[in-house]
Amino acid sequence: MPTVRDIRAKAGEEPITMLTAYDAPTASVVDEAGIDVILVGDSMGNAVLGYDSTLPVTVDEVASRTGAVVRGVEEALVVADLPFLSFGYDEKSAVENAGRMLKEEGANAVKIESGRHTVGLTETLSQVGIPVMAHLGLTPQRVNQLGYARQGTSREAADEMVELAREHEEAGAFSLVLEHVPANLAATITEELTIPTIGIGAGPHTDGQVLVITDVMGLGDWSPSFSKQFGDVKGEMQRAVSAYRDEVESGEFPSDEHSHVEEELDGVY
Ligand code: KIV
């Protein structure tokens, strides 16, 4: 079983690969491809649950999807995202929500959209044995305050991010996601920290990269400018569904090959 130490050990040595997944079959494909870390992101809100942001995603939804992903994976480290308001105001419930992901669903770690308010929580979770992946830059749970704009673009905001990155490392975070930040800022934070940074829209100089699986496969209607589509799963699904419809309508499916006639019932039915 992989541990967060294996991921930490890759920092500066070889690129860390991370993708999201939200169900067992997809997680199994991602795992078999040799991806190091699978994130059960709250991006499931937009990607697969039909919401227009991550805010409505519940602890139950992340827990159920985390269990499914864990069941589909043999090698990759599975990280469960803590959704909006499941942490950040009451440490006891945050520890319980994070603990549930490991204890009941089998995740290896949790990710927390971070800020000054999560330094103490990161320390508590790390001390009790719940590895924390911190997350700075664009944090979509703050969409009502920040929108989806690039973060850390002013000197002051960049300094604050460097400081928060250091504080989360000191608090025990085993890695740090940097989302939609200038590449030169991400490079500096990567140099400053000993834990690995994993970038999304943060340029090429982080220790690893993460993208949302539906963007990578080409299954969504929209994807951010910093993402890249590597496949056409939507096109393939459309072809398969249309072919099924055509064959049912024409009577071609089901054929003899897909049917069974019971001889004993011949002449009776
Ligand atoms: O929820 C998510 O998928 C994320 C990644 C984009 C880092 O937070």
Side-chain angles (χ1 to χ4, degrees), residues 61-83:
E61 284 167 337
V62 175
S64 157
R65 297 284 176 152
T66 297
V69 166
V70 167
R71 289 187 286 278
V73 163
E74 283 180 13
E75 293 294 333
L77 189 92
V78 177
V79 179
D81 217 358
L82 291 192

Side-chain angles (χ1 to χ4, degrees), residues 1-8 16-19 30-31 35-40 69-70 73-80 106-110 131 133 174-175 198:
M1 189 180 85
T3 67
V4 296
R5 290 181 118 190
D6 302 324
I7 301 304
R8 281 194 67 156
I16 297 166
T17 53
M18 175 160 132
L19 277 175
V30 172
D31 189 41
I35 296 294
D36 297 311
V37 183
I38 300 184
L39 171 67
V40 190
V69 166
V70 167
V73 163
E74 283 180 13
E75 293 294 333
L77 189 92
V78 177
V79 179
N108 304 110
V110 296
M133 175 178 278
F174 77 95
S175 60
I198 300 174

Side-chain angles (χ1 to χ4, degrees), residues 6 25 29 40 66 68 93 99 102 114-115 119 129 135 196 211 216 231 241 256 266:
D6 302 324
V29 170
V40 190
T66 297
S93 63
L102 274 71
S114 310
V119 177
H135 179 164
L211 285 177
V216 168
V241 171
D256 289 350
D266 231 7

Side-chain angles (χ1 to χ4, degrees), residues 242-258:
S242 301
Y244 165 75
R245 182 207 55 214
D246 289 349
E247 288 199 16
V248 170
E249 286 178 356
S250 70
E252 196 180 330
F253 177 85
S255 62
D256 289 350
E257 184 197 344
H258 301 106

Side-chain angles (χ1 to χ4, degrees), residues 73-162:
V73 163
E74 283 180 13
E75 293 294 333
L77 189 92
V78 177
V79 179
D81 217 358
L82 291 192
F84 184 51
L85 296 189
S86 66
F87 66 96
Y89 62 95
D90 165 21
E91 191 161 287
K92 184 171 178 294
S93 63
V95 174
E96 283 166 2
N97 290 330
R100 177 176 170 192
M101 300 303 164
L102 274 71
K103 212 171 162 166
E104 296 176 19
E105 307 300 342
N108 304 110
V110 296
K111 181 174 79 59
I112 297 177
E113 290 194 10
S114 310
R116 189 141 309 284
H117 64 301
T118 59
V119 177
L121 176 61
T122 299
E123 188 164 10
T124 304
L125 291 174
S126 304
Q127 278 172 358
V128 298
I130 301 176
V132 175
M133 175 178 278
H135 179 164
L136 294 171
L138 170 61
T139 45
Q141 291 173 17
R142 288 192 177 275
V143 60
N144 286 300
Q145 289 170 320
L146 307 174
Y148 293 110
R150 183 178 289 114
Q151 298 297 304
T153 50
S154 69
R155 179 67 201 262
E156 195 188 355
D159 287 352
E160 166 82 354
M161 204 180 298
V162 174

Side-chain angles (χ1 to χ4, degrees), residues 9 13 17 24 26 29 32 48 57-58 83 107 127 139 146 152 164 192 203 243:
E13 297 296 323
T17 53
T26 310
V29 170
E32 280 168 18
V48 296
V57 175
T58 65
Q127 278 172 358
T139 45
L146 307 174
L164 278 175
E192 292 271 321

Side-chain angles (χ1 to χ4, degrees), residues 18 20 22 39-44 54 81 111 113 135 138 140 177 179 198 200 210-212 226:
M18 175 160 132
T20 67
Y22 318 105
L39 171 67
V40 190
D42 66 350
S43 52
M44 69 177 71
T54 61
D81 217 358
K111 181 174 79 59
E113 290 194 10
H135 179 164
L138 170 61
V177 168
E179 179 167 357
I198 300 174
I200 171 165
V210 55
L211 285 177
V212 169
F226 51 73

